[in-house]
Amino acid sequence: MPKTYSDLISEIKESVKTVQRRLGHATAAETLDTYAHLWPDSDDRTREAVDAILGAVPPACPVEDVS
């Protein structure tokens, strides 16, 4: 059950400290050792920010089927 709960918390981008307290971990390091893969990394955050500003950009050169 804790994994499901942590999945939900991290998906809403909650802080590591909040997740640590909610799961009853002694340290934030314990939480990160177990669940670090669930938080978005800086590439994910950057991509989301650019997408939010630019929206969906169509491809510059659509590929035509030549067969």
Side-chain angles (χ1 to χ4, degrees):
M1 176 88 166
K3 183 158 175 63
T4 301
Y5 187 70
S6 64
D7 288 343
L8 294 173
I9 290 174
S10 66
E11 284 179 13
I12 60 170
K13 298 179 174 80
E14 195 52 71
S15 74
V16 173
K17 291 299 286 182
T18 298
V19 176
Q20 171 205 339
R21 287 190 301 270
R22 299 287 178 138
L23 294 177
H25 292 164
T27 65
E30 179 183 357
T31 304
L32 287 171
D33 286 345
T34 307
Y35 300 112
H37 65 282
L38 298 176
W39 271 270
D41 63 15
S42 61
D43 286 337
D44 294 332
R45 289 189 301 271
T46 301
R47 188 172 23 262
E48 289 172 6
V50 170
D51 287 347
I53 292 169
L54 298 178
V57 177
C61 298
V63 178
E64 293 182 22
D65 185 12
V66 293
S67 55

